């Protein structure tokens, strides 16, 4: 979650991003509505799941271009964007059940090609384990691996971020956010980092919509619940893991994860962690006889740094399973 640079956001603004500035199709699933944004037509349906703290606009560089090939749907997990909050803890298995219900109630036919970035990668792995017959292919965009222990230095940073996010939720719940106050700006920056990324396509309309949402407690609560349940999500996915047969899989791994912007001690910890992260991704790709692993010279947001790489990965999977 990086600090926002408004000038950069507006410099690369794309009108296509306005599709995320308003509710798409809101579908009721287990008592809460989930927001779905679909573009294109045809099968199989490609489903996009964003990372921790992110929602459907994190796919701005990807969705519209892939929609020329088939139906492509991004959605907001419970609590994010235009989706209602959920009462259950936000584990990857709970999120996968939500997504399954959403796709079926929206009458989007299986099987699906699932694309997950970061924490969203853990969610789509959970979905694949729970509903294997409904998955036609899998693309992980620097996705979280179930068997990787987070380094202590990173855990300490995450705990600090968790505390800050919980304070933001409390302030939003109490209604103490003054518009454009330093406190609100700090919380907004924690929630909305993608506008610092290249190819972000953020428009003024989308930025205004996010600012309005950032005044509510729901997105902060969602981030906090996902962070608090990260270890449980990893454990659930690891326990359910099995061979994926000949399922088409592409696993993309970033070479760096923001080390250049971190203090020396944390930078060193992450640099030592990179080989562990890569080996975990190679192991996931090896779960299928048609698994492909690709190391990308990129930071964590590959879809922004190198959108063509992500598009190519999805198209490779589509070419293997074209219906």
């Amino acid at each position: 979650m990086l600090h926002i640079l408004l000038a950069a956001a507006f410099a690369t603004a794309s009108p296509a991003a306005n599709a995320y500035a308003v509710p798409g199709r809101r579908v009721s699933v287990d008592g809460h509505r989930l927001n779905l944004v679909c573009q294109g037509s045809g099968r199989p349906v490609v489903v996009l799941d964003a990372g921790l703290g992110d929602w459907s606009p994190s796919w701005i560089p990807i969705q519209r271009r892939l929609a020329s090939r088939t139906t492509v749907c991004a959605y907001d997990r419970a609590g994010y964007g235009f989706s209602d909050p959920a009462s259950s803890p936000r584990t990857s298995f709970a999120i996968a059940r939500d997504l399954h219900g959403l796709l079926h109630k929206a009458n989007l036919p299986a099987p699906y090609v699932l694309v997950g970035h970061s924490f969203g990668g853990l969610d789509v792995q959970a979905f694949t384990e729970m509903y294997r017959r409904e998955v036609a292919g899998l693309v992980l965009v620097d996705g979280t691996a179930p068997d990787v222990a987070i380094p202590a230095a990173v855990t300490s940073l995450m705990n600090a971020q968790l505390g800050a996010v919980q304070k933001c939720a409390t302030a939003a719940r109490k209604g103490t956010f003054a518009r454009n106050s330093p406190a609100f700006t700090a919380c907004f920056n924690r929630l909305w980092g993608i506008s610092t990324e290249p190819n972000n396509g953020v428009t003024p309309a989308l930025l205004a919509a996010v600012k309005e949402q950032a005044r509510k407690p729901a997105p902060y609560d969602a981030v906090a619940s996902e962070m608090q349940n990260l270890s449980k999500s990893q454990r659930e996915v690891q326990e359910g893991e099995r061979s994926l047969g000949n399922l088409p899989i592409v696993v993309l791994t970033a070479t760096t994860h923001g080390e250049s912007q971190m203090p020396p001690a944390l930078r060193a910890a992450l640099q030592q962690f990179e080989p562990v992260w890569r080996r975990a991704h190679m192991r996931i790709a090896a779960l299928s006889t048609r698994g492909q692993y690709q190391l990308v010279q990129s930071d964590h947001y590959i879809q922004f740094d190198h959108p063509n790489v992500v598009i190519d990965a999805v198209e490779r999977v589509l070419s293997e399973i074209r219906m």
Side-chain angles (χ1 to χ4, degrees):
M1 298 182 190
L2 306 173
H3 292 292
I4 193 165
L5 299 176
L6 299 184
F10 294 145
T12 56
S14 165
N18 287 336
Y20 309 98
V22 295
R25 183 180 177 187
R26 302 180 76 195
V27 180
S28 181
V29 178
D30 289 337
H32 56 276
R33 294 169 300 174
L34 296 177
N35 186 55
L36 184 68
V37 179
C38 292
Q39 299 174 3
S41 61
R43 297 176 61 185
V45 177
V46 175
V47 182
L48 308 171
D49 196 345
L52 180 70
D54 294 328
W55 46 296
S56 52
S58 70
W59 299 108
I60 288 172
I62 304 299
Q63 185 172 9
R64 188 181 185 191
R65 291 170 63 184
L66 281 175
S68 65
R69 290 283 306 270
T70 191
T71 302
V72 185
C73 297
Y75 84 110
D76 304 335
R77 293 195 299 272
Y80 290 109
F82 294 103
S83 289
D84 296 336
S87 57
S88 62
R90 297 290 81 197
T91 68
S92 287
F93 269 35
I95 291 167
R97 282 190 289 269
D98 267 4
L99 178 57
H100 184 258
L102 170 64
L103 295 174
H104 280 256
K105 290 195 174 183
N107 294 316
L108 292 167
Y112 312 106
V113 172
L114 304 178
V115 183
H117 172 243
S118 193
F119 178 75
L122 201 58
D123 298 340
V124 298
Q125 290 174 76
F127 189 107
T128 303
E129 291 178 3
M130 297 171 73
Y131 311 106
R132 173 64 185 84
R133 294 183 179 179
E134 298 185 33
V135 178
L138 193 61
V139 177
L140 301 185
V141 183
D142 210 34
T144 301
D147 59 339
V148 169
I150 307 300
V154 178
T155 299
S156 178
L157 176 64
M158 290 178 64
N159 287 338
Q161 290 180 335
L162 174 60
V165 167
Q166 289 173 323
K167 287 182 180 178
C168 293
T170 298
R173 195 168 285 109
K174 290 181 177 178
T176 57
F177 272 150
R179 191 174 297 275
N180 297 323
S181 67
F184 173 74
T185 300
C187 288
F188 174 74
N189 290 350
R190 289 187 178 278
L191 194 67
W192 185 246
I194 68 170
S195 55
T196 62
E197 300 292 333
N199 306 305
N200 59 66
V202 176
T203 62
L206 176 56
L207 192 65
V210 178
K211 280 196 170 184
E212 185 61 32
Q213 293 161 21
R215 297 176 61 81
K216 303 172 183 178
Y220 305 108
D221 287 337
V223 173
S225 185
E226 290 177 356
M227 291 180 73
Q228 289 171 319
N229 288 283
L230 176 58
S231 294
K232 182 177 181 181
S233 292
Q234 288 182 295
R235 186 169 61 254
E236 288 177 339
V237 173
Q238 187 173 13
E239 290 173 351
E241 192 175 83
R242 61 188 183 276
S243 169
L244 294 176
N246 64 351
L247 183 73
I249 299 175
V250 177
V251 180
L252 303 176
T253 304
T255 51
T256 59
H257 294 83
E259 288 92 330
S260 63
Q261 304 173 38
M262 295 182 177
L266 185 56
R267 185 185 312 143
L270 268 179
Q271 287 171 341
Q272 293 175 359
F273 182 64
E274 296 292 359
V276 178
W277 187 255
R278 295 171 193 178
R279 286 194 296 270
H281 283 184
M282 291 178 191
R283 189 193 57 75
I284 294 171
L287 291 174
S288 169
T289 58
R290 288 200 283 174
Q292 302 176 46
Y293 171 79
Q294 182 177 349
L295 185 64
V296 185
Q297 294 293 323
S298 171
D299 214 327
H300 183 49
Y301 282 86
I302 300 174
Q303 68 266 42
F304 291 105
D305 285 349
H306 299 289
N308 287 339
V309 171
V310 177
I311 291 167
D312 175 69
V314 177
E315 289 184 337
R316 274 186 275 159
V317 170
L318 287 173
S319 68
E320 293 196 44
I321 55 158
R322 202 65 187 168
M323 303 175 70

